[in-house]
């Protein structure tokens, strides 16, 4: 991790970002400021100072308020430097950014059914990940890890939880017996960071917690590997949009224990690929409708070609949800997609 010198020469995106910040449109400015990491933040701020539409950008994104947002300020009294710096800060720090992602009021259960403990730990970890700004994942993927405070905070937190479990094992040997079973349950299909906490507490993994985030970081690295900055901005914005939507709209109160559904959503967010989960027989019609509405929300990701047939996929799911509960949504969806392959393409 870190910003090794061997990678400095390959940071071509910083050069491209400077060029676009000086001349690009409003959308490009927003994406660059919010998602493209830089070593020296004074450089992009200087680029913003030179923009002829700085006043417009400032008004759209910052308004004319003071730093505390209490009083309206006279735009004529603001310097170009203040506007550029404030614009950079606002776009760089999305709402809620800077808050600790881990719920410190939560403590790992020391008794209970192992499978239920595993599900609870999985949900706690996933909720914490969804509280991290997507830009932190970009920084970690491109080795600006020291500039990703929320993600670093999470990695520190899971180490603390690991240590608390080790102390519990010493005081109560039966707790360790329970967590041996929890570790086996987590290894099956839960989030790898949740598994790492328990496996590490039992001294059963040589890996660092950072290694469990590889599935989240590789899609970002693949985007930058194209070395096409226009494509980088488009795909990065689409991935950010999926992550933001998922983090804001996923109903953890209702779906926290449904690991299959979580896997579906996790795949949609990070890979742009949809794998339909089985709709469980016990789900109420209201819950099925809510899940469908949630999935339809990803249709807004129009920039991602992987979603060109998304509307038809959701329509297929909608038909299948109303059928016999034993009829697998995944099986039916695959059948439907097979039929779609033979259908004429729409213009």
């Amino acid at each position: 991790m870190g910003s090794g010198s061997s990678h400095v020469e390959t940071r071509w995106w910083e050069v491209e970002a400077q060029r676009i910040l000086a001349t690009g449109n409003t959308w490009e400015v927003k994406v660059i400021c919010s998602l493209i990491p830089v070593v020296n933040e004074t450089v992009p701020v200087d680029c913003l100072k030179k923009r002829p539409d700085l006043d417009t950008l400032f008004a759209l994104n910052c308004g004319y308020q003071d730093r505390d947002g209490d009083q309206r300020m006279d735009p004529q009294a603001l310097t170009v430097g203040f506007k550029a710096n404030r614009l950079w800060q606002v776009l760089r720090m999305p709402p809620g950014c800077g808050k600790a992602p881990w719920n410190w009021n939560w403590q790992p259960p020391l008794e209970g059914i192992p499978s239920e403990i595993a599900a609870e730990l999985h949900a706690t970890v996933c909720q914490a990940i969804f509280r991290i700004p997507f830009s932190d994942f970009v920084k970690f993927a491109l080795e600006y890890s020291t500039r990703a405070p929320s993600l670093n905070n999470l990695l520190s937190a899971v180490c603390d939880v690991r240590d608390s479990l080790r102390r519990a094992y010493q005081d109560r040997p039966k707790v360790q017996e329970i967590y041996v079973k929890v570790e086996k349950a987590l290894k099956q299909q839960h989030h790898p960071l949740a598994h790492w906490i328990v496996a590490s507490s039992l001294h059963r993994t040589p890996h660092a917690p950072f290694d469990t985030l590889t599935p989240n970081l590789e899609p970002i690295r693949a985007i930058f590997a194209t070395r096409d900055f226009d494509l980088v901005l488009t795909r990065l914005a689409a991935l950010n949009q999926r992550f933001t939507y998922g983090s804001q709209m996923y109903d953890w109160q209702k779906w926290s224990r449904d690991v299959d559904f979580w896997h579906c959503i996790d795949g949609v967010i990070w890979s742009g690929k949809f794998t339909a989960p089985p709709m469980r027989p016990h789900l109420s019609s209201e819950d099925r409708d809510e899940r469908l509405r949630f999935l339809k929300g990803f249709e807004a990701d129009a920039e991602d070609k992987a979603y060109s047939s998304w509307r038809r996929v959701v329509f297929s799911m909608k038909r299948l949800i109303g059928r016999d509960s034993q009829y697998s949504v995944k099986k039916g969806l695959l059948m439907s997609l097979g039929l779609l392959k033979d259908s004429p393409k729409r213009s």
Side-chain angles (χ1 to χ4, degrees):
M1 301 191 305
S3 301
S5 59
S6 61
H7 294 272
V8 173
E9 295 81 6
T10 64
R11 286 173 174 158
W12 57 272
W13 53 85
E14 290 202 23
V15 177
E16 289 294 313
Q18 294 174 31
R19 178 178 64 82
I20 300 298
L21 277 178
T23 60
N25 60 41
T26 301
W27 178 83
E28 291 170 328
V29 170
K30 288 184 176 180
V31 175
I32 291 173
C33 289
S34 60
L35 298 178
I36 303 298
V38 296
V39 173
N40 184 358
E41 295 189 353
T42 62
V43 175
V45 171
D46 287 340
C47 292
L48 292 174
K49 291 179 183 178
K50 300 174 183 177
R51 291 188 62 92
D53 61 346
L54 177 60
D55 286 343
T56 301
L57 286 170
F58 182 83
L60 289 174
N61 296 281
C62 308
Y64 294 110
Q65 296 180 328
D66 66 7
R67 293 181 182 275
D68 298 321
D70 294 330
Q71 299 177 359
R72 297 182 64 84
M73 296 184 296
D74 180 5
Q76 301 300 323
L78 303 177
T79 66
V80 170
F82 175 86
K83 293 176 184 177
N85 275 285
R86 184 61 175 164
L87 177 62
W88 171 260
Q89 292 169 7
V90 169
L91 294 178
R92 204 67 172 171
M93 301 287 285
C97 184
K99 296 182 179 179
W102 187 259
N103 178 13
W104 288 103
N105 293 322
W106 181 87
Q107 296 295 327
L110 301 183
E111 57 185 18
I113 301 173
S115 61
E116 293 184 357
I117 295 175
E120 182 177 343
L121 182 55
H122 163 84
T124 302
V125 167
C126 290
Q127 289 180 74
I129 287 175
F130 270 156
R131 295 188 190 106
I132 295 172
F134 176 72
S135 57
D136 272 25
F137 289 98
V138 179
K139 293 169 186 174
F140 251 74
L142 300 181
E143 301 196 11
Y144 297 75
S145 58
T146 58
R147 297 173 181 268
S150 293
L151 193 42
N152 280 308
N153 182 281
L154 173 61
L155 296 178
S156 176
V158 297
C159 289
D160 287 344
V161 176
R162 181 268 318 271
D163 293 342
S164 72
L165 283 173
R166 287 179 177 175
R167 290 191 295 271
Y169 300 158
Q170 294 176 352
D171 299 334
R172 300 170 60 180
K174 288 187 178 180
V175 174
Q176 182 167 348
E177 295 177 10
I178 293 174
Y179 272 84
V180 168
K181 298 177 181 178
V182 171
E183 189 268 338
K184 291 180 180 179
L186 286 169
K187 195 173 184 178
Q188 297 300 317
Q189 59 180 143
H190 297 78
H191 196 286
L193 184 55
H195 174 257
W196 179 91
I197 293 174
V198 179
S200 180
S201 73
L202 297 168
H203 302 281
R204 292 186 174 184
T205 177
H207 304 295
F210 168 81
D211 296 328
T212 67
L213 299 175
T214 297
N216 306 125
L217 304 181
E218 284 304 320
I220 298 171
R221 291 172 180 150
I223 290 174
F224 280 86
T226 64
R227 298 187 70 88
D228 181 332
F229 198 63
D230 290 337
L231 191 61
V232 166
L233 294 182
T234 299
R235 291 187 176 177
L236 204 62
L239 181 48
N240 176 51
Q241 184 174 337
R242 296 196 300 268
F243 180 84
T244 302
Y245 173 77
S247 65
Q248 293 177 348
M249 303 304 295
Y250 195 90
D251 192 336
W252 285 103
Q253 185 175 358
K254 293 183 177 180
W255 306 330
S256 63
R257 303 300 178 94
D258 192 338
V259 180
D260 288 330
F261 191 61
W262 171 81
H263 270 292
C264 166
I265 302 308
D266 192 59
V268 169
I269 290 174
W270 293 103
S271 70
K273 298 178 181 179
F274 177 79
T275 302
M279 286 294 176
R280 303 183 184 280
H282 68 272
L283 295 181
S284 66
S285 59
E286 180 183 359
D287 191 8
R288 291 171 186 247
D289 288 343
E290 288 182 7
R291 293 176 186 232
L292 180 61
R293 285 193 294 270
F294 174 66
L295 288 169
K296 285 176 65 99
F298 287 103
E299 289 181 21
D301 187 9
E303 296 290 347
D304 197 325
K305 292 182 180 180
Y307 287 81
S308 59
S309 61
W310 184 260
R311 191 177 301 275
R312 288 176 290 176
V313 169
V314 173
F315 176 73
S316 300
M317 283 190 62
K318 189 173 183 179
R319 289 190 304 164
L320 292 166
I321 284 174
R323 296 183 179 181
D324 186 348
S325 61
Q326 295 181 349
Y327 193 88
S328 163
V329 172
K330 183 174 182 179
K331 179 180 178 181
L333 181 57
L334 292 174
M335 292 173 56
S336 178
L337 289 177
L339 293 174
L340 287 173
K341 290 179 181 179
D342 297 329
S343 63
K345 295 183 178 179
R346 297 182 179 182
S347 57

